[in-house]
Amino acid sequence: MGGYYLCYRLKIYGVELPGGMQDYWTVEAQRMLHVPASLGDDQAAMIEPLAVATHDVRRAEVKSGDSVLVLGGGPIGALIAMVSRHRGARVIVSEVNPYRIELLRGLGLEVIGMDADPVRFVNEWTEGQGVDVAFEVTGHPAAARVMTETVRVWGTVSIVAIHSEPTPVNLYPMFAREVTMHGSRLYNREDWEEAIRLAASGAVTLSPLVSRKIPLEGLQEGMEEALRGGPVMKVLVDLTA
């Protein structure tokens, strides 16, 4: 069907297979993508998560004039918000981490914090209609419970986060408003190419998302820091340090 990135036998290095932190890779030349000289190494390292975001936004068919809710303002959520904004949508991000809230606002994004009810806010923000698209990027059961209540008639819910356990979802709005829900995983070459264009043109800002860089020896500490969700967005491993 052309969904090679969804192959039932797909095995990803660093996820299903060991080897995500190898010193060297053997890659077919046809799989390579040119990174413009205008992008530094730190920005180039952020192209992969940006490709996730361009894929998510493309699958959700976000267009100019849409209202978009992003549940979760981590690296992927922030990038989804910026790609949606570039497409002409008005965007709100729901996030509870104070560090990330300030970072997101510094990127010019509108953010609601943990003291705000996303459903109530959306109702006021859209005059009771609901958003055109809601992205679930938290992986948290609380977000999954309310996501279907935030979208309009014929709206779209995009599941981006990984929910490792079965999670309760309010299905009544799915029926009552004929809502569409889909999953969004990984990317294809088209998404990578768009990500590079957006980064190179400055349409999406990547540098502020890099919280810190660590040497390879500090990998365990860096992973733990990122997973704790404290004052951190994206941690890069500097193999030249």
Side-chain angles (χ1 to χ4, degrees), residues 18-35:
M21 292 293 170
Q22 294 182 91
D23 289 337
Y24 298 98
W25 291 75
T26 300
V27 181
E28 296 178 9
Q30 65 186 18
R31 292 181 176 270
M32 303 299 286
L33 288 161
H34 174 69
V35 177

Side-chain angles (χ1 to χ4, degrees), residues 7-202:
C7 176
Y8 292 115
R9 295 185 298 275
L10 180 67
K11 302 292 183 182
I12 300 174
Y13 284 112
V15 183
E16 289 89 4
L17 298 174
M21 292 293 170
Q22 294 182 91
D23 289 337
Y24 298 98
W25 291 75
T26 300
V27 181
E28 296 178 9
Q30 65 186 18
R31 292 181 176 270
M32 303 299 286
L33 288 161
H34 174 69
V35 177
S38 59
L39 292 177
D41 288 347
D42 290 359
Q43 294 169 304
M46 292 291 292
I47 294 298
E48 191 273 346
L50 180 53
V52 172
T54 56
H55 178 76
D56 299 338
V57 173
R58 179 172 62 83
R59 249 184 78 65
E61 298 181 348
V62 174
K63 60 185 181 303
S64 180
D66 278 354
S67 55
V68 171
L69 169 66
V70 182
L71 294 163
I76 300 297
L79 291 166
I80 287 173
M82 286 191 281
V83 174
S84 296
R85 181 177 63 183
H86 176 68
R87 287 198 171 200
R90 59 188 192 120
V91 183
I92 189 74
V93 183
S94 176
E95 175 57 50
V96 299
N97 182 313
Y99 170 84
R100 290 178 172 178
I101 289 173
E102 290 306 308
L103 194 154
L104 292 164
R105 287 174 175 162
L107 293 170
L109 295 166
E110 186 175 356
V111 187
I112 57 173
M114 62 185 305
D115 57 338
D117 178 345
V119 177
R120 182 179 301 173
F121 179 89
V122 163
N123 279 331
E124 296 174 357
W125 192 51
T126 63
E127 299 180 347
Q129 297 298 306
V131 295
D132 296 285
V133 181
F135 292 95
E136 203 306 272
V137 203
T138 69
H140 197 284
R145 282 194 293 269
V146 302
M147 61 189 180
T148 58
E149 301 174 41
T150 65
V151 293
R152 61 164 173 80
V153 168
W154 293 345
T156 298
V157 174
S158 178
I159 309 298
V160 178
I162 298 173
H163 289 262
S164 57
E165 298 291 336
T167 302
V169 174
N170 183 0
L171 293 179
Y172 182 78
M174 298 284 296
F175 153 77
R177 297 189 174 188
E178 293 194 352
V179 170
T180 297
M181 182 188 297
H182 66 239
S184 194
R185 181 190 183 195
L186 295 176
Y187 30 59
N188 60 24
R189 189 180 183 91
E190 174 188 351
D191 302 312
W192 278 80
E193 291 170 344
E194 181 183 0
I196 291 173
R197 287 195 300 270
L198 292 179
S201 68

